[in-house]
Amino acid sequence: MAARKILVVDDEKNQRDILQMILTGELDEAGEARYEVKTAASGQDALRSFKHENFDLVLTDLKMSGMDGLQLLNELTQLDSATPVILMTAHGSIDTVKEALRGGAFDYLEKPLDRAKLLATVAKAVSQMKAVDEEIIGVSDAMERVKKMIVKVAPSSSTVLIRGESGTGKERIARAIHKASPRINERFQAVNCAAINENLLESELFGHEKGSFTGAHAEKKGLFEIADKGTLFLDEIGEVSQSMQAKLLRALQEKEVTRVGGTRPIKVDVRVLAATNRDLEAMVKDGRFREDLYYRLNVIPIQIPPLRQRRDDIEVLTNFFLHKHSANASRPIRLSGEARGLILNYGWPGNVRQLESAIERALLLAEGDEITGEDLPMEIRQVAHVEGTGGFKLPPEGISFEELERSLIMQAMEQTGWNITRSAKLLGLSFRTMQYRLDKFGIKRPNRGKGVADEMEEEETPPEGE
Ligand SMILES: Nc1ncnc2c1ncn2[C@@H]1O[C@H](COP(=O)(O)OP(=O)(O)OP(=O)(O)O)[C@@H](O)[C@H]1O
Ligand SMILES: [Mg+2]
């Protein structure tokens, strides 16, 4: 395990030195340092470090001249940093601490620092990072950030709004937040708001009293009550009706619910996580989604990009699912080069879910100890139709036009060593059209952190006249 990078921020040199000494002295089983420590003498200094380096954890003093710990926490959030922050504060400033925890601090430590407590708190953050790493597979910058966010937001009870296309892993992320939170031993209750009609959803969420409607033979607890002290995951939140939106807003604001047919409000302590694939902002604009509910839900937004925009994750996810689903196979099964190529080049409109089911299916179909292209679903193989034919023939079962386009662009880029100008020529496109399509499909040069757009600025400029 590589050492975790910690940034220690304190305006007293003495404190910085002590923290650095304690933390760097921690060794793992193999005798390697657990933590790599950098120090900053002020909030401004810390922000500067953040501009060119990534950290796994920040430990900052609360009271500092200039920018204090809370302001730093704020600035880091503004910078879109997902790195968890632990605040160190003098005894007695408990109000500030509460504010800090609401503001997204991971935890706090009281000064004078207790060595054991310090190490335990840092170790807690690190062990949660590890747990999340095992749960959420992904190596792209986007997923590294999502994983940090999970650890960062887990300790609080703030509402989190998880956005992403179907199959990107929204529910899995919600579960990971619950598991990393202090509510881990309580219930995680998921409800799909789109799957049931409005009346039923109301009694599902808030419960009902006996005789409150035809068929209500007995009283029933709603999911808010059932999830008390735990986490409630409201999936497809963009699908709920206006009147349901008003009721949800009330439940979130007042932290209490009233059963259908009941009059007595019931206090509940529930952490709400919500997910949607809809453009809620547009829905707010044209009045289909309440603005006040939107703000209530969107306290912490987590965006999961579609798989085609984080192509670095395809390979690790593929290996993960191969391993996961071959557990019940009698023999080890590998991917052939051809199958791997098809998988890595496909656009995955159904995201991680589609990838997982393609692998699961291929494992069942594979005859030898290898998955071949033939074992993959048709839509993935179709992409190969163009290859090796004199001209393209539309197969009787039809094709996915987008996939075909994407495949041709990939091939052109590969053939030209990722030269956009020459790829555009090969396809008879203008430089601009090519650039637009690369962005649209999120095509990136493999094994490089940089986007095509960055690369282009350095290496290629549009030809004259474009
Ligand atoms: N990063 C990931 N690591 C491991 N498994 C993942 C990851 N993302 C998604 N999965 C798996 O992919 C499948 C789909 O994920 P999930 O159900 O969370 O997606 P979703 O965004 O909620 O989809 P939908 O919008 O269709 O409900 C699940 O089996 C999930 O466990
Ligand atoms: Mg889901």
Side-chain angles (χ1 to χ4, degrees):
M1 186 82 234
R4 298 282 179 173
K5 279 175 78 175
I6 304 179
L7 181 63
V8 166
V9 193
D10 202 308
D11 53 358
E12 277 175 59
K13 181 168 188 317
N14 209 359
Q15 283 285 330
R16 293 198 297 274
D17 291 347
I18 292 174
L19 280 162
Q20 184 160 37
M21 201 178 69
I22 296 177
L23 291 168
T24 49
E26 283 295 290
L27 305 181
D28 63 14
E29 305 79 37
E32 309 267 351
R34 276 188 203 278
Y35 311 122
E36 181 187 325
V37 178
K38 292 244 164 151
T39 58
S42 68
Q44 285 86 348
D45 205 9
L47 287 177
R48 267 192 296 276
S49 297
F50 252 87
K51 297 233 162 83
H52 18 244
E53 249 179 293
N54 273 318
F55 294 95
D56 295 304
L57 188 63
V58 175
L59 262 164
T60 178
D61 189 21
L62 177 65
K63 259 209 204 126
M64 291 185 288
S65 52
M67 185 187 297
D68 70 13
L70 275 186
Q71 281 170 306
L72 174 60
L73 179 66
N74 237 321
E75 291 286 333
L76 286 175
T77 310
Q78 298 296 320
L79 267 184
D80 219 23
S81 155
T83 304
V85 175
I86 296 173
L87 279 172
M88 300 176 288
T89 130
H91 181 71
S93 35
I94 195 71
D95 284 344
T96 326
V97 163
K98 279 193 184 151
E99 189 187 330
L101 293 177
R102 267 200 308 275
F106 177 79
D107 207 344
Y108 70 98
L109 286 164
E110 260 177 344
K111 279 175 140 186
L113 290 176
D114 173 69
R115 185 173 181 277
K117 184 98 205 324
L118 162 73
L119 289 173
T121 306
V122 170
K124 184 174 82 181
V126 168
S127 87
Q128 300 214 337
M129 285 170 204
K130 216 173 135 218
V132 170
D133 266 343
E134 282 161 15
E135 191 92 7
I136 306 296
I137 307 302
V139 293
S140 60
D141 291 348
M143 287 315 280
E144 289 296 351
R145 179 169 190 283
V146 167
K147 288 191 281 188
K148 277 189 188 170
M149 272 309 268
I150 295 173
V151 175
K152 184 179 175 186
V153 306
S156 84
S157 282
S158 302
T159 312
V160 180
L161 183 60
I162 307 167
R163 319 278 293 260
E165 285 180 11
S166 184
T168 46
K170 297 186 291 296
E171 179 154 355
R172 195 172 175 97
I173 303 261
R175 286 181 191 274
I177 293 173
H178 173 74
K179 280 195 199 166
S181 82
R183 296 170 182 262
I184 178 174
N185 295 317
E186 306 292 335
R187 268 183 104 103
F188 176 89
Q189 188 68 53
V191 52
N192 185 339
C193 300
I196 29 186
N197 78 38
E198 185 179 347
N199 292 335
L200 225 77
L201 182 61
E202 183 177 2
S203 100
E204 221 17 61
L205 287 174
F206 304 125
H208 61 244
E209 298 295 351
K210 186 175 172 181
S212 55
F213 54 85
T214 333
H217 300 302
E219 62 157 42
K220 186 183 142 211
K221 275 190 181 181
L223 293 176
F224 268 95
E225 275 180 78
I226 291 173
D228 193 25
K229 311 244 164 19
T231 304
L232 183 62
F233 175 52
L234 300 175
D235 204 357
E236 314 271 11
I237 191 75
E239 313 304 318
V240 304
S241 69
Q242 291 279 346
S243 75
M244 201 55 213
Q245 288 174 25
K247 286 169 187 153
L248 276 173
L249 178 68
R250 198 180 151 261
L252 291 176
Q253 254 166 0
E254 313 296 330
K255 300 189 169 45
E256 58 184 37
V257 292
T258 309
R259 291 182 184 166
V260 176
T263 48
R264 179 177 54 101
I266 301 165
K267 280 273 165 219
V268 285
D269 166 21
V270 171
R271 183 190 203 169
V272 171
L273 307 176
T276 184
N277 176 20
R278 292 286 215 102
D279 184 351
L280 284 189
E281 290 75 13
M283 291 176 71
V284 166
K285 244 188 212 145
D286 54 33
R288 281 174 297 151
F289 201 86
R290 291 182 71 115
E291 190 171 16
D292 42 13
L293 179 60
Y294 169 77
Y295 284 115
R296 272 276 155 193
L297 293 171
N298 201 33
V299 178
I300 303 166
I302 295 187
Q303 181 77 42
I304 318 173
L307 194 51
R308 63 184 172 281
Q309 283 173 15
R310 47 182 171 106
R311 305 197 65 86
D312 295 349
D313 292 340
I314 299 176
E315 179 136 35
V316 282
L317 281 163
T318 300
N319 295 338
F320 173 74
F321 292 134
L322 273 175
H323 182 79
K324 176 176 166 191
H325 295 291
S326 57
N328 37 18
S330 51
R331 57 201 194 282
I333 300 178
R334 292 175 282 115
L335 270 186
S336 71
E338 181 206 11
R340 189 171 293 274
L342 288 173
I343 288 173
L344 294 182
N345 282 328
Y346 186 58
W348 302 107
N351 295 298
V352 185
R353 169 170 301 120
Q354 187 191 10
L355 174 61
E356 177 165 15
S357 62
I359 305 260
E360 207 178 344
R361 177 177 177 277
L363 280 167
L364 289 173
L365 293 179
E367 277 172 354
D369 53 4
E370 205 174 61
I371 291 174
T372 65
E374 288 296 300
D375 301 322
L376 294 172
M378 199 179 58
E379 58 281 14
I380 298 160
R381 275 180 290 136
Q382 267 170 4
V383 173
H385 258 286
V386 245
E387 288 159 20
T389 56
F392 177 69
K393 280 197 216 69
L394 182 65
E397 70 274 15
I399 56 143
S400 157
F401 192 69
E402 288 235 315
E403 270 318 314
L404 185 62
E405 196 184 344
R406 164 161 226 297
S407 158
L408 289 170
I409 289 173
M410 279 300 284
Q411 291 179 57
M413 292 300 277
E414 273 161 10
Q415 274 180 35
T416 61
W418 295 81
N419 181 299
I420 298 170
T421 313
R422 282 193 285 133
S423 298
K425 276 223 178 80
L426 277 181
L427 297 171
L429 299 173
S430 74
F431 185 89
R432 271 189 200 293
T433 312
M434 187 70 184
Q435 186 182 357
Y436 170 79
R437 286 190 159 48
L438 287 168
D439 280 346
K440 172 174 139 191
F441 291 116
I443 293 177
K444 271 197 198 174
R445 187 176 191 145
N447 301 327
R448 289 234 196 152
K450 291 188 294 181
V452 167
D454 305 331
E455 217 154 277
M456 217 160 43
E457 270 163 20
E458 287 166 27
E459 296 169 9
E460 281 185 76
T461 43
E464 286 296 307
E466 277 201 45

